[in-house]
Amino acid sequence: MEALEPIRSDPGHSAILLDIDGTLAPIVRHAADAHVPESTRTLLIEIAKRFELVGCVSGRRAATARQIVAIGTIAYVGNHGGELLRPGATRPEVDPELAAWTERVREFAARAYTSELQRIRVRSEDKDSIAAFHWRGAPDEEAAAAGVREIAERASAEGFVVHWGRKVLEVRPPVVLDKGLGVATLLHGAPIAAALYVGDDTTDLDAFRGLRGLVESGALRTALCVAVGSDEAPPELAGEADLTVDGPAGVRGLLEALL
């Protein structure tokens, strides 16, 4: 409660920013099945009424993130900072450099996603300018992971950037994708003095560092970074966090404490 006080005491000038998968929504075998529990969603609605700015920051497309959370009155930063869907907007603002790579990424994904990968139950995900390959829950996860590593090698050889997440590979364009930059874009021009960010994976470190950079530059007075602990969480996340909570249930408790 002491750590949250700068946020709670001035809700009219505070932002609440949260990752989705593994943070608001439990990690599930199939990414398409992810959803935010109704008890968490209800809390988030109340948070949105109280605080000046609430946003979800995700590696998914912004429109997909909105579908999962199912709240239209908050903002969504998608594709690791490459998209911004403002409250009530129907279309996201997309980084033009990122958008220019969409067809090339899709063409690569179509070639890389072979019948053999489908047979061993690797799943592909089209995120416009990013292609993702999941192996969580495959009958033989070791074989599926080996198949995905071959995709990574091909992608790197063809000039794409590869990023590893929690049993997922992302093939990205060679452009800067950074949740910290996405958060900075969302906060730009808003009357925000204090911001809270909650996340569970490596890409959330960019958001931690981005917020602390805004504090150093004087754009923010306070930033509070919260790591969501799990068996798969990267150790460095807790090392850079101000607080750690235990899984999505811990996040729900954090939201309760904000009200």
Side-chain angles (χ1 to χ4, degrees), residues 96-134:
E97 190 178 6
L98 181 66
W101 279 83
T102 297
E103 291 308 315
R104 278 174 280 186
V105 171
R106 284 179 169 165
E107 189 274 333
F108 171 83
R111 285 189 286 110
Y113 191 45
T114 62
S115 58
E116 174 60 17
L117 289 172
Q118 295 174 50
R119 186 188 69 78
I120 61 177
R121 305 290 177 83
V122 172
R123 299 180 303 282
S124 67
E125 180 184 3
D126 180 358
K127 299 165 69 174
D128 280 346
S129 303
I130 298 174
F133 300 91
H134 302 261

Side-chain angles (χ1 to χ4, degrees), residues 149-182:
R149 284 195 293 272
E150 292 181 6
I151 296 177
E153 292 173 4
R154 291 179 59 184
S156 295
E158 294 189 27
F160 295 99
V161 173
V162 298
H163 176 82
W164 297 96
R166 295 172 64 171
K167 298 190 178 181
V168 60
L169 165 73
E170 289 185 341
V171 176
R172 303 177 177 182
V175 301
V176 176
L177 287 174
D178 184 321
K179 285 186 175 181
L181 295 176

Side-chain angles (χ1 to χ4, degrees), residues 128-234:
D128 280 346
S129 303
I130 298 174
F133 300 91
H134 302 261
W135 69 91
R136 182 183 298 277
D140 185 342
E141 285 196 349
E142 186 175 339
V148 172
R149 284 195 293 272
E150 292 181 6
I151 296 177
E153 292 173 4
R154 291 179 59 184
S156 295
E158 294 189 27
F160 295 99
V161 173
V162 298
H163 176 82
W164 297 96
R166 295 172 64 171
K167 298 190 178 181
V168 60
L169 165 73
E170 289 185 341
V171 176
R172 303 177 177 182
V175 301
V176 176
L177 287 174
D178 184 321
K179 285 186 175 181
L181 295 176
V183 164
T185 300
L186 175 61
L187 296 180
H188 181 71
I192 300 299
L196 166 72
Y197 186 91
V198 189
D200 75 307
D201 208 348
T202 304
T203 56
D204 297 306
L205 288 168
D206 293 330
F208 286 7
R209 294 162 185 168
L211 284 184
R212 287 173 175 147
L214 292 177
V215 172
E216 290 173 5
S217 70
L220 282 179
R221 184 178 65 241
T222 302
L224 182 64
C225 301
V226 180
V228 183
S230 74
D231 292 341
E232 297 179 2

